[in-house]
Amino acid sequence: MLAFKITNGILYMIAIDKQPFSMVKDDGFRKFLSIVAPLYTVPCRKTITKRLDEKYELLSSKIRTMLSKIDHLCLTTDIWTEPFNTRSYISITVHYINFKIMQLENLSLGIKELEESHDGNYISKIISEILDEWHIQINSVVAVITDNASNIKKAVRDTFGRKRHIPCFAHTLNLVIQDAIATTPEFQAIVKKVKSIVTYFKRSVKATNALNELQTSNLENDQNILKLKQGCETHWNSLFYMIKRFIQLANLVNTVLLTLPRKKHDDIPEMTTHTDLQILKDICAILRPVERVIMEISGELYVTCSKIIPIINCLIRTLEKLDITHEISERFHKNVLLQLQNRFRGKDSNIETNSFLSISTLLDPRFKKLHFSSSLAVSTAISKISQLMKNNQIETQCNVEENINILRKEDLWNIHDELIASSSLNSDEPGGIPVELRQFLNANVVSRSEDPFKIWQKLKDVYPMVYEVAMKYFVIVGTSVPSERLFSAAGIIISMKRSRIKGKRASQIIFLGSLPKRYWK
């Protein structure tokens, strides 16, 4: 039993910690095991690979069976090209509700190598193959979240239908900032100046040492030496982190640039001015709430889809209240607000008209109608919920009637049963809204800190039909960040030291590493 537990622990380290298979040959690892388990024989690399294959076959079989029985799933997908052999992979993560603990769970279905041109038709074919492999029914997929790339959007729409595709909220919000910067050239010039300074310090040992020495002389005992951060267009929030850190170190950075000896061929960058710093502080104040929104909406283990409409409303109102001091930062401020309006409240891009977002928001006990600006969007969403409830009622009633017909005998109470069935399908108040839905919407909202799953656990007996619809939509995640996190893990596995690892093997490790811990017991 002890040997089994230790071997399972080694497999766990390979899957969760992304340790290489060669760890079983490392002297330090063998020395450690000889101390804690002197009677245990460390398996060779070939044996541990075989054990991983067995573990994968066992657990993937369990997951296939589980996925085939789940009624409502949400998927995210993305494409990544690893840098060592320039091989491209597609990933799929699956999200579902664990009703035993009333919590969102997710796992990765691994990665699959793309061997042809990445056009929409080929990607659609690969996605369908992955679904078949994992026994996922297309009808059970409520929504698929991707970035804004045209090929992957086409693939998802061809596979699942146009109505089930949702663009990644974090990608869209990132585009808001990029477009606002592009339309504010004066701010671009300041960002370029900051980037050149950061690049210089990253390359110059002399400048970095001088900055560290200045910090050491000014720091308290419990403080750490800070380093400048470089911004990257493809990394969300990195511009905010670069500006925030630069503001912290700006005075020291300028001191270093002033005191460095200048030679003929030196490329010492231009210093920032007091006005530049004031603008950067304004920009930091604008980007801070955007960073908080992206961080909050990128979660995987709590409901995010129902937060998008409320959080955009809060973001716009927060930005509108900012007191901006400089003309350049004021222009950037206006451009950010304009882009937010265009991308989230525009005629063809109003998030309140997206049925996934509006329905999930209305059915979240924390929000309901509170953050909607359009009464038409609310009434449209309520109508769709009402129809979904009626469809569920009809389906349930058909099942009941089938059971009654099997056992039906001539009975006086048959008329009573038929009246109940008829009334349950026609329990609408004036306006076509079911009584149950109207009562739920008219009840007070709960605290924002409450878990909507736990609230619905208490309410499901009071509003059973509304509960069924809510659970279908709460499974939707707001971003495709889970797929990007998957590729971060893939980048650790397919590394310079393991550049020859096959995609199939990397996929196994990614899948096992994504499983909830209970599968490893």
Side-chain angles (χ1 to χ4, degrees):
M1 179 58 74
L2 178 61
F4 171 79
K5 288 183 176 180
I6 295 176
T7 303
N8 195 55
I10 295 173
L11 297 177
Y12 188 80
M13 292 170 70
I14 291 172
I16 303 297
D17 299 333
K18 310 299 182 288
Q19 295 291 343
F21 288 98
S22 60
M23 67 177 289
V24 295
K25 299 191 300 182
D26 293 344
D27 291 338
F29 181 71
R30 285 178 168 268
K31 178 67 174 177
F32 172 75
L33 282 182
S34 69
I35 295 171
V36 298
L39 300 180
Y40 177 73
T41 302
V42 181
C44 65
R45 178 173 177 167
K46 188 175 181 180
T47 299
I48 208 69
T49 303
K50 182 181 177 182
R51 295 289 178 268
L52 188 93
D53 287 335
E54 293 170 354
K55 192 79 173 177
Y56 177 81
E57 288 302 319
L58 173 65
L59 295 182
S60 63
S61 177
K62 286 185 177 181
I63 294 300
R64 287 186 182 95
T65 301
M66 180 195 73
L67 293 177
S68 68
K69 296 177 180 178
I70 296 178
D71 294 327
H72 305 307
L73 298 167
C74 175
L75 307 179
T76 77
T77 183
D78 200 2
I79 294 174
W80 170 70
T81 301
E82 56 93 358
F84 303 105
N85 300 295
T86 323
R87 293 180 297 193
S88 295
Y89 297 92
I90 187 170
S91 68
I92 290 184
T93 68
V94 59
H95 306 257
Y96 56 93
I97 299 172
N98 183 335
F99 286 97
K100 290 183 179 178
I101 58 175
M102 285 303 289
Q103 184 177 310
L104 268 176
E105 288 190 345
N106 66 88
L107 52 89
S108 164
L109 302 185
I111 58 177
K112 192 174 182 69
E113 187 173 352
L114 299 177
E115 299 174 344
E116 298 179 19
S117 175
H118 303 171
D119 63 76
N121 293 331
Y122 176 64
I123 296 171
S124 175
K125 175 188 169 187
I126 296 299
I127 290 174
S128 297
E129 289 176 359
I130 295 172
L131 297 183
D132 289 341
E133 179 187 346
W134 289 95
H135 300 173
I136 295 175
Q137 302 296 320
I138 287 183
N139 289 338
S140 67
V141 178
V142 179
V144 184
I145 293 82
T146 74
D147 61 20
N148 296 302
S150 58
N151 58 343
I152 203 160
K153 285 200 297 186
K154 181 183 185 305
V156 169
R157 290 172 178 178
D158 288 350
T159 309
F160 302 95
R162 179 176 295 273
K163 291 182 179 180
R164 281 191 272 181
H165 174 258
I166 302 178
C168 171
F169 173 74
H171 275 91
T172 306
L173 195 52
N174 190 51
L175 290 175
V176 165
I177 301 304
Q178 288 185 13
D179 291 347
I181 293 172
T183 52
T184 317
E186 303 92 341
F187 174 55
Q188 277 184 299
I190 298 173
V191 170
K192 186 176 179 181
K193 185 187 292 187
V194 172
K195 282 187 175 181
S196 66
I197 293 173
V198 175
T199 301
Y200 176 76
F201 274 80
K202 293 290 184 183
R203 292 176 179 174
S204 171
V205 175
K206 186 180 292 186
T208 300
N209 288 340
L211 180 62
N212 291 343
E213 287 175 9
L214 283 176
Q215 288 188 76
T216 303
S217 61
N218 295 327
L219 288 176
E220 302 290 338
N221 292 332
D222 59 342
Q223 291 179 307
N224 296 319
I225 291 177
L226 302 178
K227 296 184 181 296
L228 293 170
K229 295 182 178 181
Q230 184 62 279
C232 176
E233 288 184 3
T234 58
H235 291 172
W236 300 333
N237 302 323
S238 65
L239 176 66
F240 167 70
Y241 298 138
M242 179 184 76
I243 293 174
K244 181 182 176 183
R245 180 58 57 83
F246 184 82
I247 291 170
Q248 288 178 280
L249 298 175
N251 291 335
L252 298 180
V253 166
N254 282 344
T255 301
V256 171
L257 293 177
L258 275 172
T259 56
L260 281 175
R262 295 175 182 266
K263 297 181 181 178
K264 187 175 181 180
H265 299 293
D266 273 354
D267 58 346
I268 297 176
E270 180 186 355
M271 292 187 299
T272 52
T273 65
H274 176 75
T275 301
D276 291 337
L277 284 178
Q278 187 58 57
I279 294 170
L280 289 172
K281 288 177 182 178
D282 284 343
I283 301 300
C284 201
I286 296 168
L287 295 179
R288 185 176 289 109
V290 176
E291 184 262 352
R292 289 176 182 172
V293 168
I294 290 179
M295 294 300 292
E296 182 164 351
I297 213 69
S298 298
E300 301 175 43
L301 300 179
Y302 52 85
V303 180
T304 53
C305 188
S306 65
K307 281 187 173 184
I308 292 177
I309 291 174
I311 211 166
I312 281 294
N313 183 41
C314 292
L315 175 61
I316 290 175
R317 292 193 177 194
T318 300
L319 290 176
E320 287 174 341
K321 292 179 179 179
L322 288 179
D323 183 20
I324 306 301
T325 59
H326 196 275
E327 182 182 351
I328 292 175
S329 43
E330 178 60 31
R331 278 200 290 274
F332 177 74
H333 179 230
K334 288 180 179 178
N335 286 334
V336 169
L337 287 171
L338 179 63
Q339 290 298 326
L340 285 170
Q341 292 288 346
N342 289 342
R343 290 189 176 273
F344 296 111
R345 289 182 173 175
K347 183 178 179 181
D348 299 320
S349 57
N350 193 333
I351 54 175
E352 293 185 13
T353 62
N354 183 305
S355 60
F356 292 112
L357 305 185
S358 58
I359 290 174
S360 60
T361 304
L362 280 176
L363 298 184
D364 192 320
R366 301 169 298 174
F367 306 124
K368 298 185 182 179
K369 306 176 187 178
L370 204 57
H371 290 274
F372 283 84
S373 59
S374 168
S375 56
L376 177 60
V378 172
S379 62
T380 301
I382 289 175
S383 296
K384 290 179 179 179
I385 297 170
S386 301
Q387 189 59 51
L388 288 167
M389 291 172 64
K390 289 175 183 177
N391 292 343
N392 287 343
Q393 280 182 319
I394 292 170
E395 184 178 340
T396 303
Q397 189 59 36
C398 287
N399 294 335
V400 171
E401 286 180 356
E402 277 183 29
N403 294 333
I404 291 174
N405 288 333
I406 293 171
L407 302 173
R408 184 179 290 275
K409 298 177 182 178
E410 290 191 13
D411 192 334
L412 180 69
W413 290 104
N414 287 342
I415 300 298
H416 174 77
D417 296 336
E418 289 170 5
L419 287 171
I420 290 177
S422 176
S423 65
S424 67
L425 294 177
N426 297 284
S427 58
D428 292 0
E429 288 192 358
I433 303 176
V435 174
E436 187 181 308
L437 177 58
R438 187 182 294 275
Q439 289 174 342
F440 167 74
L441 292 174
N442 288 339
N444 292 332
V445 295
V446 301
S447 169
R448 185 177 56 83
S449 61
E450 294 280 359
D451 182 345
F453 282 124
K454 291 180 179 177
I455 295 299
W456 267 114
Q457 205 165 15
K458 299 174 184 176
L459 297 177
K460 66 180 179 180
D461 293 331
V462 182
Y463 311 113
M465 300 303 294
V466 181
Y467 166 80
E468 290 295 331
V469 179
M471 292 305 102
K472 176 180 178 179
Y473 283 82
F474 278 10
V475 76
I476 301 170
V477 292
T479 70
S480 61
V481 170
S483 283
E484 300 192 5
R485 289 185 180 133
L486 184 159
F487 284 135
S488 295
I492 297 172
I493 297 167
I494 307 174
S495 61
M496 187 176 291
K497 289 185 178 180
R498 289 188 285 178
S499 60
R500 293 173 62 187
I501 190 171
K502 299 294 183 182
K504 183 178 179 181
R505 176 69 67 199
S507 182
Q508 289 179 341
I509 297 172
I510 290 169
F511 164 75
L512 292 171
S514 73
L515 292 175
K517 290 183 180 180
R518 63 178 180 274
Y519 287 98
W520 287 92
K521 292 182 180 178

